[in-house]
Structure formats: C-alpha cells, structure tokens
Amino acid sequence: MGTPSDQIENSSSDFYAKHKKVYPREVHGLFASLRFSGVLTLLGLYYFIPWMRWDGHQAVLFDLPARKFYIFSLTFWPQDFIYLAALLIIAAFALFFFTALAGRLWCGYACPQTVWTEVFLWMERWVEGDRNKQIKLDKSPWAKNKLILKSTKHTLWLLFSAWTGFTFVGYFTPILELGASLLQFTLGPWETFWIIFYGFATYGNAGWMREQVCIYMCPYARFQSAMFDKNTLIISYDDDRGEPRGSRKKSADPKELGLGDCVDCTLCVQVCPTGIDIRDGLQYQCIGCAACVDVCNEVMGKMKYAKGLVRYTTENAIHGIPSRILRPRMFVYMSLLIFLSAALVYSMLIRLPLELDIIRDRNALYRETNEGLIENIYTLRIINMDEQAHRYTLTAGGIEGVKLILAKKDLYAKSGEVITIPARIQIDPAYLKKIGYDIEFILTATDNSELQVIEKGRFIGPLK
Amino acid sequence: MSAAEQDIPNVQKIAAVLWPSFLTAGVATILFFTAFDPQLIMAVSGYGEISRMAGYSIGFFIFWLLTSSSCALTCYFRKPCDDIGKKS
C-alpha cells in the first residue's frame, strides 16, 4: 500500500484539465445505503413523473408552447410567476437550514450532479469492474478487450443520457406525443436539440467532469462556509484519536507501538469521489457524501476498535467544547421556512382561478354619443384558469350612472380559455365632476358567486 | 494576474466564463418570457412567424451570448496592463 497521493492515478486524458482521474472505490454502509435510496427515489421520480396522467392531461407538464404549467389539479399561468419566485425563496431557505444543520447534505445525497454521477459509477463498475480493475484497464494498452469494455461503457452512458434528455424534454412537451414523434422520426428541431443538449450535459457532467463540477463550477461550494458555524455537523477525522497513524498487525497493541487508531489503510482516500484526504481536515472539495465514514467504520470494525474515527461531528465537539445542534440560527431558519411555506400554501388555497384584464382603447380618450353621453372603449380579457367551464356576468360600478355595453352577451369560457370582448362604458356628463375616474368592472361566475374578481379601469371624460 | 491565478486549471477558466453566464441567461430567459410572449414580439415587430419553442430557445442563446461576452470581457480586463507596449 502506497502513500495517499499514489492512490489517485494520473489521468491519460487532459481534455478538461490537468487533473488526476479519481477512481472512487465502492463503499457499503449506512450512508451508502442512504445515498442509494436517495438516488432511487429521486431518479425514480424524475423518470416516472412525466408518464403520470391526471384528468386527461399529463400530471406534471410545463407546457411552454401554450404558456401554461400543469401540476396535478393546478394550472399556472405567466401571471402566477409569484408562486415560482416564492418556491425558489423557500428552496433557498431550506438549503440554508440543512447546511447549517449538517453541512453539505444536499451535495452528498440529493444534488443531481451526485445522483447522476452515482448511477454512472454503477454502470462503470458493471462494465469495467472494481477500482483496481479500472485503474489497470486505463493503464493497459489499447487492445481488443479494452476497446470492447470502453465502448460498452460509453454506449451504456450515452443510452442512459439520451433517455435522461428525452425525459427532460418530456416535462415541457407532452411526453406521449414526444415519444410518438420520436418513433416516427418526426421530432421538431428544437425538441431534438434540447434532448441532445440535456443528454450531452448529463453524459459530460456525470461521465467526464464529475467532481470538477463540484470543485470548479458549483457556487454553493464557495459560499457554504458562510452557513457553517462551530456547531454544524460536518464529517471529520478525529485527530486526537487517530494520530500518530501507522499500519500494524491486528493483534498488535497500538499503545505499545505508540500509534493512534488510524491504521493508515488509505481506504478513506480511495472511496472519496473528489479525491481528497479527510484526515487533512475540512476542505471545500468535500461534498459530505460520508463514504469515508462508512469505509472507516468497516475497518475499525475489523480491527475491533471503536467506530467513528471519521464521523459526523461538530467543530466544537471535536475540541471537547459542548456542542448544541438546536441553536438560535436553526430556529430562525426553521421559523422562516415554516412561515413562508404556510404563506405559499395559503395563497394557493385562496387563489382565484379567474382573471380579468382591462385594456383601454388608446386611440381616443373619449367620444360623445348621439344621445350626448360620454363613452370610453375598452378591450376586456377574461382568463378562465379553472378546470371547469364557466359562464360569467359582468357589471360596472364605481361612479353613479355608469352604463356598460358589451359586444358579446354570452360570456362563456372553457377551462383554460381566454376570451376577448370589446366593451363600452357610457356615462351621462352630468355625473362627471372631474376628468378621470376609476371605474370597477365586476366579473362573477354565474354558477359560483364566490368566483368573482373586481378590476379597476380608468374612465376619461372631457375637460370641464 | 498573479502567479497563483495563472495556475488555475483551464477547465476552471472556461467554467468561469460559460457557467455563470449560462445560469444568468437562464434566469433572464425565464423572467423575459414570463413577461413577453415570443409570438407577440415577432408579430408586433413584423419578423414573421415563429414557434414559441423556437422563440424561447433562440432567446436563451441570445441571452447566453450576451452574458458570456460580459463574463469573458471581465476576465480579459482583469489582466494587468502595465506591460502593454513596453519593450522587454
């Protein structure tokens, strides 16, 4: 067994950077199982959700061509952008909360980069074998066997990436139609492009770039320290217990040899997907995947030493200072998170699936009718965002003597339909005391009086 | 540029230009097309018809071109200019 730096082999390819290829060794244990179930759940959801149906449409569909988002029974319109913004703010606070609690939980278990890389590593292992075989294969000259193994691996990766790209586009274009046109070779140019783009990004990031994405491209890795404090759970090597490190026989008494508990097997370095040595302390490259915790516990078990030489702990705890997980910071993040989520849910519950836009005719401020009334012209847009069709009544108010004349009597809109109606407002000049008035347009569904919106429009009269 | 900065791997230099610009272009695309319908823009400006998918995609790449140019220029102007025109 060599020194730790020997454990990371030189890469034969300098395509992306002068960097040493990392061959993460397979690891088993509690945290590996957690990540395994995380990968299954998240990717399972990702590949399954576009195929779900709901009420005759795709359950989750961000229908960009139609400018509508369907999420189960809810339909969102560009006007509902505020919900997306709120959702992103909540996601940011959730990230703060979990980072302050236990470091880079997101990176280690849930980040798409980690999740897809993990699957690509599985495929690599199925084809090329374990870490040692992979290193040997890469060092060997290009012979028939190597060519077969490498091309099998890349074919697997590419197929998986293509499926990933197809699924991704399936969130934006109905996936059944997409599948049908794929089979008939009638895919649109932009669908084709985005399938290839996303597929290639998956292949490149999970197959080639891997830890370099985390180290060079991820902004979160750079500002994570702002969310850490001395009570944050991080993965640490217990220096006091481990040092001085050194190999020894299983039967040997480390005290007699003057050694700590670290047997210097370098397995923690071999399993690390970013190729660092956790025994050098907390490093920004550490994505908190806990592979080193799992593998070290296994070794400690074999040596019949106590587990946890590398473990989730806090900076305070490792220096013998009492450490608290529940600290003010956690409560602040937690309450903000709860408050924002509740506000979002509440506003979604009271959200009216009806909108009225009033566009004033810009060509003329006003005109006088034959009867001597002052008239303004508007275009009204009724957007029925509900799942059912509705018939509506429209009235006007706000000032005395207001008369509304619609070009269309029957205001009927199917689910998701936008209807446009020219409208005229007439007022007797006797009621007009000033130039401008705000008038109210009141739109009510005939079958449900609670489904009502009131919009203000400007009425302009003559200068007195 | 300090010696340490010159030593950063090429992948980091490329990522520093292409990646942040990709993210901001994505945000810009979402904000822009939430407010404006590409079909309406094309109709109003008289450039002919276009599918919305094409509108979004082209819009995204125009934004990416702009944001990546800006990132690249920032990198370029960070170079010290003391030595420009001096005889060595």
Side-chain angles (χ1 to χ4, degrees):
Chain A
M1 223 162 272
T3 59
S5 59
D6 288 337
Q7 302 297 325
I8 303 161
E9 300 299 325
N10 269 307
S11 166
S12 56
S13 150
D14 286 336
F15 189 71
Y16 284 102
K18 275 207 187 323
H19 93 288
K20 291 176 174 179
K21 186 171 175 189
V22 180
Y23 297 88
R25 189 192 181 98
E26 194 175 359
V27 63
H28 301 281
L30 173 65
F31 299 107
S33 312
L34 276 176
R35 185 165 34 261
F36 180 76
S37 51
V39 169
L40 276 197
T41 315
L42 292 170
L43 285 191
L45 284 174
Y46 173 79
Y47 292 102
F48 174 70
I49 282 175
W51 297 99
M52 283 167 75
R53 308 286 300 169
W54 187 272
D55 256 357
H57 64 81
Q58 189 171 320
V60 177
L61 177 66
F62 307 112
D63 194 346
L64 291 176
R67 295 175 74 75
K68 278 183 231 170
F69 288 2
Y70 299 99
I71 299 170
F72 296 98
S73 64
L74 297 167
T75 308
F76 292 97
W77 296 68
Q79 291 87 338
D80 296 319
F81 185 74
I82 180 87
Y83 295 114
L84 182 65
L87 206 62
L88 290 177
I89 294 169
I90 290 172
F93 271 109
L95 193 65
F96 295 167
F97 175 76
F98 286 110
T99 308
L101 177 70
R104 294 170 71 171
L105 283 178
W106 163 258
C107 301
Y109 302 96
C111 175
Q113 180 62 24
T114 304
V115 167
W116 268 308
T117 301
E118 186 81 10
V119 177
F120 272 58
L121 283 172
W122 296 347
M123 287 189 273
E124 195 166 46
R125 275 182 206 130
W126 290 338
V127 177
E128 292 185 359
D130 63 18
R131 181 177 188 268
N132 292 335
K133 283 186 185 153
Q134 287 173 22
I135 295 173
K136 214 175 268 174
L137 184 71
D138 278 0
K139 278 188 175 162
S140 71
W142 280 96
K144 195 179 153 203
N145 181 46
K146 184 171 177 178
L147 207 64
I148 292 171
L149 287 180
K150 288 282 175 188
S151 52
T152 314
K153 178 179 84 176
H154 286 284
T155 311
L156 265 183
W157 279 0
L158 284 169
L159 283 174
F160 188 77
S161 305
W163 186 246
T164 307
F166 172 78
T167 308
F168 178 74
V169 175
Y171 277 92
F172 302 96
T173 309
I175 201 160
L176 290 175
E177 290 168 32
L178 196 69
S181 46
L182 183 73
L183 293 175
Q184 294 159 5
F185 299 103
T186 53
L187 270 184
W190 289 109
E191 275 92 0
T192 315
F193 172 79
W194 286 115
I195 289 175
I196 294 172
F197 187 95
Y198 200 82
F200 187 75
T202 310
Y203 173 75
N205 285 338
W208 293 95
M209 301 280 284
R210 294 191 177 166
E211 79 288 349
Q212 297 180 74
V213 173
C214 311
I215 296 170
Y216 301 125
M217 291 163 75
C218 181
Y220 172 62
R222 306 291 176 94
F223 66 72
Q224 52 165 335
S225 54
M227 289 174 270
F228 278 31
D229 56 39
K230 289 184 173 172
N231 287 311
T232 298
L233 282 169
I234 48 171
I235 294 164
S236 292
Y237 164 70
D238 195 336
D239 270 320
D240 295 342
R241 200 189 127 188
E243 299 297 320
R245 64 185 80 158
S247 56
R248 79 286 312 257
K249 285 208 175 83
K250 199 177 150 187
S251 53
D253 182 6
K255 273 184 198 132
E256 263 173 41
L257 296 166
L259 292 170
D261 277 358
C262 175
V263 298
D264 204 15
C265 63
T266 71
L267 280 174
C268 53
V269 183
Q270 294 182 37
V271 296
C272 180
T274 64
I276 57 168
D277 188 341
I278 191 67
R279 295 171 299 177
D280 296 341
L282 181 65
Q283 292 144 79
Y284 80 99
Q285 290 99 328
C286 172
I287 58 168
C289 70
C292 48
V293 179
D294 276 338
V295 81
C296 187
N297 279 344
E298 211 179 303
V299 172
M300 290 296 112
K302 277 182 193 151
M303 295 299 292
K304 305 233 159 48
Y305 294 168
K307 289 186 179 181
L309 180 59
V310 181
R311 64 175 184 272
Y312 269 111
T313 184
T314 68
E315 203 185 321
N316 275 344
I318 222 154
H319 293 130
I321 302 163
S323 160
R324 281 184 314 154
I325 304 291
L326 295 173
R327 47 204 193 274
R329 183 185 194 132
M330 300 312 297
F331 286 110
V332 172
Y333 285 152
M334 190 60 156
S335 42
L336 274 170
L337 206 54
I338 291 172
F339 170 76
L340 285 169
S341 310
L344 179 70
V345 170
Y346 177 73
S347 68
M348 297 253 269
L349 286 177
I350 60 157
R351 168 178 174 263
L352 271 185
L354 177 62
E355 187 162 303
L356 175 64
D357 287 344
I358 294 154
I359 306 136
R360 202 169 171 282
D361 181 33
R362 293 207 176 88
N363 291 324
L365 283 178
Y366 67 91
R367 72 182 204 104
E368 225 174 304
T369 65
N370 292 337
E371 298 92 54
L373 301 172
I374 303 299
E375 182 179 87
N376 277 201
I377 299 172
Y378 305 84
T379 305
L380 308 180
R381 280 201 326 158
I382 297 173
I383 307 168
N384 179 12
M385 303 190 283
D386 207 2
E387 276 182 291
Q388 295 100 40
H390 288 288
R391 192 161 266 120
Y392 302 98
T393 52
L394 187 66
T395 53
I399 56 168
E400 218 179 326
V402 57
K403 201 165 112 192
L404 172 72
I405 301 157
L406 292 173
K408 196 155 60 174
K409 287 279 163 313
D410 188 25
L411 304 180
Y412 177 78
K414 283 182 279 195
S415 168
E417 199 185 4
V418 181
I419 56 171
T420 309
I421 321 121
R424 289 180 289 162
I425 291 277
Q426 293 178 345
I427 300 174
D428 192 318
Y431 293 114
L432 297 173
K433 305 274 183 303
K434 51 180 187 177
I435 304 174
Y437 284 93
D438 278 332
I439 43 165
E440 283 176 347
F441 290 87
I442 303 143
L443 182 71
T444 320
T446 45
D447 56 344
N448 180 3
S449 60
E450 277 175 27
L451 198 55
Q452 184 185 64
V453 283
I454 300 172
E455 270 305 307
K456 282 212 170 87
R458 196 76 180 149
F459 184 89
I460 310 286
L463 204 60
K464 293 260 158 135
Chain B
M1 209 181 284
S2 67
E5 245 174 276
Q6 256 163 355
D7 285 343
I8 63 169
N10 274 329
V11 65
Q12 197 174 351
K13 287 180 195 156
I14 298 166
V17 172
L18 288 183
W19 180 239
S21 57
F22 179 86
L23 293 178
T24 44
V27 174
T29 309
I30 293 171
L31 290 176
F32 184 81
F33 287 117
T34 303
F36 305 105
D37 181 345
Q39 279 186 331
L40 218 64
I41 297 172
M42 296 304 277
V44 170
S45 53
Y47 281 117
E49 281 193 20
I50 190 176
S51 80
R52 282 204 178 116
M53 255 336 220
Y56 298 138
S57 305
I58 295 167
F60 170 73
F61 283 105
I62 293 174
F63 277 125
W64 197 8
L65 189 72
L66 289 174
T67 49
S68 58
S69 322
S70 141
C71 284
L73 281 175
T74 305
C75 285
Y76 182 70
F77 285 125
R78 272 181 52 102
K79 278 186 174 176
C81 40
D82 298 347
D83 303 335
I84 297 175
K86 263 188 201 167
K87 281 178 192 162
S88 54

